[in-house]
Amino acid sequence: MKRKSWMALLLVTVLVSGLVIAGLQRLLVPKYMGQVVEGAFIQEYYNETTDHDVIFLGDCEVYENISPVVLFREFGVTSYIRGSAQQLISQSYYLLEETLKKETPRVVVFNVSAMQQYEQTNETYNRMTLDGMRWSSSKWNAIRASAMEDEHMIEYLFPILRFHSRWNQLEADDFRYYFHRNQVSHNGYYMRADIRPAGDFPAVRRLADYSFDGRAWEYLERMRGLCQSKGITFILMKAPSLYPVWHEQWDEQIVSYAEEHGLTYVNCIDAADEIGIDFAHDTYDGGLHMNVYGAEKMSRYLGPVLIAGGAEDRRGDGELSAVWEKKGLYYDNMKAAQEEEFARSGYLKQFKTEE
Amino acid sequence: MLLVSYQFGLFLLLLTAVYYLIPKRGQWVLLLAASYLFYLCGGPVYVLYPMITTGTTWFLARKIGQMTARAKQYVKEQNFDRAQRKAYNQTVKKRERRLLISGLLLNFGILAVLKYMNFMLQNVNGLLSILGVPGELEYVGWLLPLGISYYTFQSMGYLIDVYNGKYEPERNLFRFALFVSFFPQLIAGPITRFDQIKQELFAEHRFDARQIKLGAERMLWGYFKKLVIADRLGPAVTVIISSPAEYNGIYALLGMIGYTVWMYADFAGGIDIVIGAAQLLGIKLPENFDRPFLSASLAEFWRRWHMTLMQWLREYIFFPVSTSRFSKKVSLLADKALGKKAGQKAPVYVANLTVWFVAGIWHGASWNFIAWGMANCVVMLISAELAGTYRKYRKRFAFTGTKGYHCFEVVRTFFLFCCLEMFEYYPFFTVFAMVGNIFTACRPSQLFDGRMALLGLGSADWCLLLLSTAVMALGGIFCGKTGFREKLDQKPLWVQYTAVFGLFLVVLITGVYGYGYDASQFIYNQF
């Protein structure tokens, strides 16, 4: 066989092999379309067609507690939540860095609960955040900063190496969502219209040392620096979760940092009454996170803070309004469907196993 | 660096690329550097031990070689008569023996101290406790260098060979260092002889696409055995064999067969990876397995399983022990006490006992392994004693020459081996209890009493295990000595591609590796 033919044969072989492996990889990676939808949030950002005035960063305390649709409807503030389950501060930083390559918001809000835990404790959470990111230097650095001891970069480059063991756990969803994924969040917001009143929590354990990890401070500082360099208002917030407990000593450190750098810090635990949160009604998991009613109250409370930080009322922009009208419709439909189902069954079927 | 790690894949890929790009005379130097880098990955301390073994063995072998050469020259110059020559040679040999013994003591001493110290302390403590002496000696936490048994045995084989004048000692320390530390075989063997491997290690190797392909295929086959079979089966088997009271009856049988399959897939898989990796670099390592489960007797089995270790034991322990002064004394004693026949057999018995004791202790520092070695020895000696009876029996019954009878012998040998393996994981008397239990309390219905679910494998895993073990076994049965790769190599390209890529996908998807998988060492790595 001539050299050219060999080369062509080799090329075809590599191509076919690559396609087969890519096809299998697509089948084997989790789709996050069933009960656990949080893993799909980070990726959904790339579907956005318009810019945002506000970017929220953080863990479940942002993506479950703030409704961007309400923020637009009531204040005209366009926003997106770049949050994922147990999102580390380093990941929030690199998500911000990546976001700023695409757009320049007026305000960035960071939920400070991530300050208490610098290192990841569960690889699943890392995958939920990092797999959703598009490949860039930010993703590379985010992986390097947050990967656990047994995690390897190559498993992020080729997720089949991580998820191959799902071959015997494949479900109908893996085939159903092979070619497309549904939109599951509302600009990064995770809607829950079920209600589970706050109950008892384990007794508060005193800590030997309340200081945050130096590396967490470092990333907070880097986030602030990044915002400062782009003229973005950097706001710190603490969502109104009753558990895990937010220690006073932690809060003092954040207050002091905010004062030192002239930042706004909104502690929603202290402001829970002002916000109007009713922990018997506004939470879906017994006080850990807000349901849609609590998130809407939170958004109404935060709206003026964001406007004060530089966000504008964009309701006058026809093109933007049309986009947000569509988002609102999707939001309303989901909310109505969940409300109806919860009223009928007392639970949401999609999340039944949580009960 | 584990053979089943991404780092090893990358390391081998880069090394192979550089290996064929650099001038050919520098290839062995690169291999030496790579081998030491490989060793360094375990920690700097680990390099020290193979360096000591390398340095001392090379130096002593050189000294022995020089003494032999000088003696030859001297004898030539002096025009000694036969008696004078003999006397002089004996004097020189005595001096050489001193060097040999010092080398053996030092290197086997290191091995004994590092590997067997805690075992010895455990026994001393046991003894003290029996004698009622209060307190106990503290155990040591020394790290065991990677492949210490392999490189020690290999180096000492070299020293003995030089002493016996089988070949000249290597002049270049670095070339000898490569022989001791060649990285693929460092982990799980095979144990090679210097004269057997030096041509391969130091020759200039041209890039050969076919060799690369065959090497990669061999590695893939090894990964199939290791990742798809051994690492899937291992945890389930461990549960069974570590709780004999709970897992008895059919589970004891399952554990017995499972342990053998696990060990074979793990060890033979590791050897496939090692031989394949060396083949990528153009180096042909000796085989360590020759389809052992097709053996019709235990003696044949041990000629086909871990062949290089058994050859080593035969050459450096069996023959020297059977011709030693001690054996001769035992022979005389046996002759006097039990008759001429017993006197003739005594050296063989002594040598066999020594070989199997060493084989046992080599496999692990515990009484389990010693019992395993002794059990094998007893079965082998009984078989040897009954050899005459077998011959008569074979002559008398024609059916013993049929294929069916051969199959029976193969199956019998497999189960005999499985039974003997039980000494490795059950306490001594439990072995007999469990064998009895298999015969008296084995019911298939036990498989559905819920205990199966606690083994950590789902039905899909069991199906996959059965299927892949069948593929592994059939591969051995039907492909003959030439092996599957050579047969496949003669098929059209698309057939080759489909088979290899298919196997790759099986390993990629169903292999037990990646996050959450404890990258366990190969069972034979610990030796």
Side-chain angles (χ1 to χ4, degrees):
Chain A
M1 220 185 283
K2 282 180 185 170
R3 198 189 168 107
K4 270 189 182 173
S5 311
W6 267 113
M7 292 300 285
L9 191 67
L10 189 70
L11 201 71
V12 170
T13 310
V14 170
L15 207 69
V16 170
S17 309
L19 278 173
V20 171
I21 293 169
L24 285 168
Q25 177 167 285
R26 201 178 171 88
L27 179 67
L28 288 163
V29 293
K31 311 296 181 292
Y32 302 114
M33 290 287 120
Q35 192 205 327
V36 180
V37 293
E38 292 94 320
F41 294 173
I42 295 294
Q43 199 174 17
E44 285 187 356
Y45 172 75
Y46 307 108
N47 300 335
E48 285 294 284
T49 51
T50 56
D51 286 353
H52 313 91
D53 269 356
V54 179
I55 294 292
F56 292 97
L57 296 164
D59 50 19
C60 52
E61 290 197 3
V62 284
Y63 72 70
E64 300 192 59
N65 292 352
I66 296 154
S67 167
V69 167
V70 168
L71 279 176
F72 185 79
R73 274 185 183 159
E74 300 196 11
F75 303 96
V77 172
T78 56
S79 64
Y80 201 96
I81 302 166
R82 298 220 72 186
S84 186
Q86 208 162 303
Q87 184 170 299
L88 301 177
I89 188 168
S90 57
Q91 293 167 342
S92 289
Y93 169 77
Y94 288 110
L95 278 168
L96 174 64
E97 186 186 81
E98 185 203 46
T99 307
L100 297 188
K101 286 175 195 164
K102 189 174 177 271
E103 57 176 318
T104 309
R106 302 280 178 97
V107 181
V108 164
V109 181
F110 173 63
N111 186 71
V112 292
S113 66
M115 289 294 288
Q116 60 184 289
Q117 186 189 323
Y118 177 76
E119 283 176 346
Q120 192 56 276
T121 53
N122 188 333
E123 180 254 4
T124 309
Y125 293 128
N126 265 356
R127 298 299 314 205
M128 283 187 186
T129 307
L130 300 166
D131 278 338
M133 288 178 79
R134 274 190 185 160
W135 275 104
S136 67
S137 59
S138 301
K139 177 167 177 168
W140 181 274
N141 291 329
I143 296 169
R144 288 192 55 171
S146 58
M148 294 173 71
E149 199 186 341
D150 291 337
E151 287 189 86
H152 299 276
M153 182 63 80
I154 195 167
E155 288 172 356
Y156 282 97
L157 285 164
F158 304 105
I160 194 169
L161 296 174
R162 167 63 185 88
F163 295 112
H164 66 96
S165 54
R166 290 189 72 242
W167 67 272
N168 55 3
Q169 301 153 21
L170 289 175
E171 296 167 347
D173 272 3
D174 289 298
F175 296 93
R176 193 178 301 137
Y177 298 108
Y178 186 86
F179 291 106
H180 79 285
R181 303 274 166 92
N182 288 345
Q183 178 87 14
V184 289
S185 82
H186 305 271
N187 272 37
Y189 167 63
Y190 173 58
M191 181 186 285
R192 292 293 294 263
D194 42 343
I195 300 165
R196 194 170 143 205
D200 292 332
F201 295 105
V204 177
R205 289 174 62 187
R206 282 165 59 177
L207 305 180
D209 182 9
Y210 288 91
S211 350
F212 294 129
D213 193 303
R215 293 164 297 178
W217 282 119
E218 188 191 316
Y219 275 103
L220 186 66
E221 191 57 17
R222 286 172 77 175
M223 259 194 264
R224 191 184 66 80
L226 204 56
C227 289
Q228 198 175 28
S229 68
K230 297 259 182 183
I232 300 165
T233 307
F234 187 48
I235 294 175
L236 303 175
M237 71 167 270
K238 172 68 189 83
S241 297
L242 294 179
Y243 191 82
V245 72
W246 177 250
H247 294 282
E248 215 167 277
Q249 292 88 335
W250 287 345
D251 200 58
E252 283 164 8
Q253 292 174 67
I254 298 295
V255 168
S256 146
Y257 179 83
E259 277 173 6
E260 187 187 333
H261 297 284
L263 305 177
T264 304
Y265 171 44
V266 187
N267 184 338
C268 299
I269 303 172
D270 294 347
D273 290 340
E274 196 184 331
I275 298 166
I277 292 169
D278 172 5
F279 280 102
H281 178 265
D282 296 341
T283 160
Y284 76 87
D285 55 3
L288 274 70
H289 307 100
M290 300 284 101
N291 56 21
V292 68
Y293 312 109
E296 288 180 354
K297 287 177 185 171
M298 275 283 294
S299 307
R300 283 181 199 113
Y301 178 75
L302 283 176
V305 180
L306 301 174
I307 297 281
E312 277 186 29
D313 184 347
R314 306 274 185 188
R315 281 173 289 190
D317 184 328
E319 207 178 312
L320 263 180
S321 293
V323 170
W324 279 91
E325 197 175 326
K326 250 174 119 180
K327 288 176 190 285
L329 194 64
Y330 173 55
Y331 180 89
D332 291 339
N333 286 341
M334 188 186 273
K335 186 178 170 186
Q338 286 195 6
E339 280 175 332
E340 187 275 325
E341 191 185 348
F342 184 68
R344 182 167 35 84
S345 319
Y347 64 86
L348 299 180
K349 195 180 161 195
Q350 189 185 354
F351 311 108
K352 193 183 170 188
T353 52
E354 283 177 8
E355 296 300 318
Chain B
M1 199 187 304
L2 295 170
L3 288 185
V4 280
S5 64
Y6 302 124
Q7 291 91 330
F8 179 73
L10 188 67
F11 173 78
L12 191 63
L13 197 72
L14 289 174
L15 176 67
T16 309
V18 177
Y19 185 75
Y20 289 110
L21 285 174
I22 60 166
K24 300 201 172 26
R25 63 175 184 281
Q27 284 176 328
W28 73 267
V29 181
L30 177 70
L31 284 186
L32 177 63
S35 297
Y36 269 81
L37 182 68
F38 185 87
Y39 228 104
L40 268 171
C41 290
V45 183
Y46 285 117
V47 187
L48 198 68
Y49 295 107
M51 277 172 99
I52 292 172
T53 300
T54 303
T56 54
T57 311
W58 175 81
F59 175 76
L60 292 170
R62 282 280 288 157
K63 273 276 164 209
I64 291 171
Q66 282 167 359
M67 281 165 84
T68 310
R70 256 189 254 129
K72 267 185 193 166
Q73 184 68 24
Y74 187 72
V75 167
K76 222 178 188 180
E77 287 166 7
Q78 296 299 316
N79 273 332
F80 283 148
D81 62 26
R82 205 175 160 181
Q84 283 174 316
R85 198 186 317 142
K86 197 179 169 189
Y88 179 75
N89 280 342
Q90 273 176 351
T91 317
V92 174
K93 211 66 196 166
K94 218 175 187 179
R95 275 188 229 144
E96 288 179 4
R97 195 176 300 131
R98 262 184 236 142
L99 292 177
L100 170 73
I101 289 168
S102 61
L104 295 178
L105 282 177
L106 174 74
N107 288 292
F108 282 128
I110 293 174
L111 176 66
V113 168
L114 289 180
K115 192 171 169 180
Y116 303 107
M117 182 56 95
N118 280 338
F119 177 54
M120 288 187 267
L121 289 172
Q122 188 190 345
N123 286 302
V124 171
N125 284 335
L127 203 66
L128 291 177
S129 154
I130 289 167
L131 295 172
V133 179
E136 62 171 28
L137 300 172
E138 235 176 81
Y139 291 101
V140 295
W142 295 329
L143 294 170
L144 202 61
L146 197 62
I148 184 167
S149 300
Y150 291 102
Y151 74 71
T152 305
F153 271 44
Q154 191 161 296
S155 313
M156 293 307 96
Y158 165 81
L159 194 60
I160 297 168
D161 283 348
V162 171
Y163 169 78
N164 286 332
K166 278 190 184 160
Y167 44 78
E168 294 285 310
E170 172 57 50
R171 283 163 180 266
N172 188 324
L173 170 65
F174 298 104
R175 284 162 81 101
F176 179 69
L178 176 60
F179 164 68
V180 177
S181 63
F182 181 48
F183 76 92
Q185 63 176 128
L186 196 68
I187 303 160
I191 300 168
T192 49
R193 276 175 36 171
F194 187 69
D195 56 337
Q196 183 186 35
I197 195 74
K198 74 171 181 189
Q199 201 57 34
E200 294 287 332
L201 283 180
F202 309 123
E204 296 181 355
H205 298 284
R206 292 169 66 89
F207 179 84
D208 181 345
R210 186 172 172 271
Q211 286 303 315
I212 300 270
K213 190 188 78 169
L214 290 175
E217 284 171 6
R218 181 77 186 254
M219 287 183 76
L220 188 59
W221 185 235
Y223 282 120
F224 170 73
K225 288 178 187 170
K226 168 74 178 159
L227 299 177
V228 180
I229 302 174
D231 287 353
R232 176 165 279 104
L233 187 59
V237 170
T238 307
V239 173
I240 295 175
I241 63 176
S242 45
S243 328
E246 287 163 42
Y247 286 95
N248 45 26
I250 202 159
Y251 289 98
L253 180 68
L254 195 70
M256 185 180 91
I257 297 171
Y259 182 81
T260 301
V261 173
W262 171 31
M263 205 172 51
Y264 174 73
D266 189 276
F267 188 21
I271 288 293
D272 284 332
I273 297 169
V274 165
I275 292 179
Q279 195 167 3
L280 290 183
L281 303 164
I283 293 163
K284 196 172 184 314
L285 290 177
E287 293 294 336
N288 226 9
F289 291 95
D290 177 16
R291 299 167 297 145
F293 294 120
L294 296 182
S295 308
S297 69
L298 195 64
E300 185 189 350
F301 184 92
W302 282 112
R303 285 194 297 272
R304 301 169 76 159
W305 171 286
H306 207 169
M307 289 147 70
T308 56
L309 175 69
M310 296 324 280
Q311 279 160 10
W312 195 98
L313 292 172
R314 209 165 30 243
E315 208 160 318
Y316 301 109
I317 297 202
F318 185 87
F319 294 131
V321 170
S322 59
T323 55
S324 66
R325 267 189 234 160
F326 175 74
S327 291
K328 278 175 194 161
K329 275 184 194 167
V330 174
S331 173
L332 282 173
L333 280 173
D335 197 340
K336 273 184 197 165
L338 302 164
K340 203 177 171 187
K341 243 184 178 178
Q344 280 171 345
K345 284 179 183 171
V348 179
Y349 271 65
V350 172
N352 261 310
L353 278 166
T354 317
V355 161
W356 284 105
F357 176 80
V358 173
I361 199 86
W362 184 90
H363 279 84
S366 81
W367 285 106
N368 275 54
F369 285 101
I370 295 171
W372 168 84
M374 290 300 108
N376 270 284
C377 182
V378 167
V379 174
M380 297 276 277
L381 291 175
I382 291 173
S383 300
E385 286 302 323
L386 294 175
T389 317
Y390 282 147
R391 268 194 299 274
K392 281 181 201 160
Y393 166 73
R394 281 179 168 279
K395 266 185 194 169
R396 181 146 184 204
F397 300 105
F399 71 87
T400 55
T402 60
K403 274 190 179 171
Y405 187 76
H406 179 74
C407 284
F408 159 73
E409 287 180 311
V410 167
V411 173
R412 181 197 59 192
T413 307
F414 173 76
F415 278 102
L416 179 60
F417 176 74
C418 290
C419 279
L420 290 169
E421 288 298 294
M422 290 169 99
F423 284 100
E424 283 188 7
Y425 52 84
Y426 286 143
F428 189 76
F429 291 110
T430 310
V431 174
F432 302 100
M434 293 312 281
V435 171
N437 191 269
I438 287 172
F439 282 106
T440 55
C442 199
R443 286 185 303 278
S445 61
Q446 292 165 333
L447 290 174
F448 307 99
D449 62 8
R451 281 181 283 178
M452 197 77 170
L454 304 174
L455 297 179
L457 293 176
S459 49
D461 286 300
W462 282 113
C463 290
L464 178 72
L465 266 175
L466 283 174
L467 200 69
S468 44
T469 306
V471 169
M472 178 175 72
L474 293 174
I477 293 169
F478 292 112
C479 293
K481 267 196 162 180
T482 49
F484 183 71
R485 292 177 306 148
E486 280 72 13
K487 285 198 172 177
L488 185 66
D489 201 34
Q490 288 150 16
K491 302 279 179 205
L493 270 179
W494 70 268
V495 176
Q496 291 185 40
Y497 167 74
T498 310
V500 174
F501 187 57
L503 183 65
F504 173 75
L505 288 182
V506 169
V507 176
L508 180 73
I509 292 166
T510 66
V512 181
Y513 67 92
Y515 185 81
Y517 156 63
D518 175 20
S520 60
Q521 293 269 13
F522 286 86
I523 300 174
Y524 271 71
N525 274 25
Q526 59 191 294
F527 302 135

